Amino acid sequence: MRRRDVLTGAGTAAATSSFPSPAIAQGVRQLTMVTDWPEGPGVLPSARRLAQTVADASNGRITINVTASGAVVRPFETFDAVQSGVADMFHSHIGYFVEKSPAFHFYSGLPFGMTAKELFAWVRFGGGQELWDELSARFDIKPLLCSSTGIQMGGWFRKEIASIEDINGLRYRMAEPGAEVYRRLGATVVVVPGADIMLSLRSGAIDACEWLGPWLDMEMGLHEVASFYYYPAWHEPGTALTLGINRRVWESLEETDRQLIKVAAAGEYAVSLAEFDTNNARALVRLHQESEVKFRRFDDEMLKTFAEISRSVVAEAGSTDALSQKIHTSYRDFRETAKGWSDVGEGTYLNVRDVG
């Protein structure tokens, strides 16, 4: 999207008058953050908590004004706003912006991909950040992992999905690249902003959807309009969110301040993951005890079909150019290495934790 399209979007007056990008007054750096998150618990508070951490750690020298989805630019226009300099940084799901590069998928959540812990390990210690920096530099963005919703659920359905054939003709809200898997199975897949999911499901505009997990799914009220809740979340096993900073703004910061923001983002990744794990566990208990929701596990044959198509979808995301191929290879190799330890370590322990 072109810069003038951003400037003529919703909230233009606020964007042009309130965002000097960045302002510097009496030694205080005032930055602006646009997000793709509606008001409510979970994700937007994580963005605000990150901003507060930066302000506290800098003793107020760096302040970040965080805005909800639609307050300054329209949903899903946050990347363009930061690239063009309308805003200084965004907090979003980088997978929303794969029209820029399909390789962004590797930094959000891939079908049958890495868990939240494995993804963070790859980015921090497996070469993922360096490749991400190279990719994002094409768009004048400095990217950092900044939040994690952890493992999700397989989605809400208004009717039971007894076989893979039942997906054909389904109208489903899902983010890419899992959406492409369903699309190849005959579903009509759309991505609507989080704030519009409930209305779309209630009105019948969609037949099924996925959002984040038991905690925020219940907060949205999805259990009131859909009866079947499926697992596992093969499409997003460890969803990460991105802090994207305008590169000129990033490079104008002192090295100590850049390090401060890196540490704050990494800390918020861990804190948000702990928060989601805690509240998802509690919400799952409530769903079992207080609702009529029917929990269903995708059967093995369906999961095999999902996995087979996913391999093709992921390979295509990692084949658009030489850099995408490097990212795909790095991700794939690290996943295989991490999988060995995850299976032997935590995986085996979880299987025997309640023995005896």
Side-chain angles (χ1 to χ4, degrees):
M1 187 182 64
R2 296 165 296 182
R3 176 179 163 85
R4 71 169 180 267
D5 294 328
V6 175
L7 293 174
T8 56
T12 297
T16 55
S17 63
S18 301
F19 283 14
S21 191
I24 304 176
Q26 298 179 346
V28 175
R29 196 69 176 267
Q30 298 174 337
L31 304 175
T32 57
M33 180 194 291
V34 290
T35 78
D36 283 305
W37 316 124
E39 292 286 354
V43 191
L44 187 59
S46 176
R48 288 174 172 154
R49 189 166 53 220
L50 172 59
Q52 188 62 53
T53 298
V54 171
D56 292 344
S58 67
N59 199 27
R61 287 187 302 100
I62 304 175
T63 63
I64 302 173
N65 178 38
V66 180
T67 60
S69 176
V72 175
V73 295
R74 289 185 290 263
F76 308 142
E77 293 184 353
T78 50
F79 189 108
D80 289 307
V82 172
Q83 182 182 5
S84 65
V86 171
D88 299 318
M89 54 182 65
F90 66 76
H91 190 292
S92 189
H93 183 279
I94 197 66
Y96 290 154
F97 311 117
V98 293
E99 76 280 359
K100 308 291 185 182
S101 172
F104 279 138
H105 281 316
F106 293 94
Y107 296 94
S108 53
L110 283 178
F112 297 92
M114 288 193 260
T115 65
K117 288 171 57 179
E118 292 168 343
L119 180 65
F120 193 65
W122 172 60
V123 170
R124 289 302 295 266
F125 299 107
Q129 183 69 60
E130 293 78 7
L131 292 168
W132 197 12
D133 286 342
E134 185 178 351
L135 175 63
S136 298
R138 296 175 175 177
F139 309 99
D140 293 324
I141 298 290
K142 166 62 181 179
L144 294 169
L145 294 180
C146 65
S147 297
S148 177
T149 65
I151 187 71
Q152 298 193 8
M153 287 285 284
W156 293 91
F157 295 79
R158 300 186 68 162
K159 64 178 183 179
E160 191 165 9
I161 305 300
S163 69
I164 206 73
E165 287 74 22
D166 291 336
I167 293 173
N168 187 34
L170 203 67
R171 293 167 297 177
Y172 198 2
R173 185 274 176 198
M174 176 179 271
E176 302 288 352
E180 179 60 22
V181 176
Y182 274 100
R183 201 174 286 117
R184 295 185 186 188
L185 289 168
T188 299
V189 188
V190 296
V191 178
V192 298
D196 297 335
I197 293 176
M198 183 64 173
L199 178 61
S200 298
L201 192 61
R202 187 186 296 277
S203 69
I206 57 176
D207 305 308
C209 70
E210 56 79 40
W211 180 223
L212 288 170
W215 175 30
L216 296 190
D217 290 2
M218 282 194 76
E219 290 286 343
M220 189 177 283
L222 297 177
H223 62 297
E224 298 172 359
V225 293
S227 300
F228 296 93
Y229 203 16
Y230 275 79
Y231 66 94
W234 56 269
H235 64 294
E236 289 191 70
T239 305
L241 305 179
T242 295
L243 176 68
I245 306 169
N246 178 281
R247 183 159 289 276
R248 291 179 294 278
V249 172
W250 178 253
E251 292 175 351
S252 73
L253 294 169
E254 297 289 338
E255 176 60 25
T256 52
D257 289 337
R258 291 198 291 267
Q259 291 300 322
L260 185 156
I261 292 173
K262 287 180 182 179
V263 171
E268 182 55 32
Y269 188 93
V271 170
S272 61
L273 180 57
E275 182 179 34
F276 270 87
D277 281 347
T278 299
N279 287 302
N280 279 331
R282 291 171 176 166
L284 188 64
V285 172
R286 288 181 54 205
L287 278 171
H288 279 293
Q289 294 179 346
E290 303 172 13
S291 77
E292 302 298 321
V293 169
K294 302 174 182 66
F295 288 83
R296 296 288 187 270
R297 180 186 181 278
F298 291 119
D299 66 40
D300 288 345
E301 288 305 311
M302 293 181 72
L303 289 170
K304 288 178 182 178
T305 301
F306 292 148
E308 180 180 353
I309 298 174
S310 294
R311 282 192 290 271
S312 176
V313 170
V314 170
E316 290 173 14
S319 63
T320 55
D321 57 28
L323 180 55
S324 296
Q325 292 170 12
K326 287 174 62 176
I327 292 171
H328 182 202
T329 299
S330 177
Y331 182 100
R332 182 193 61 209
D333 292 349
F334 193 89
R335 175 188 176 277
E336 289 307 304
T337 299
K339 180 178 178 295
W341 171 234
S342 295
D343 290 348
V344 169
E346 203 165 328
T348 302
Y349 169 70
L350 291 175
N351 287 331
V352 302
R353 180 162 55 180
D354 294 326
V355 66

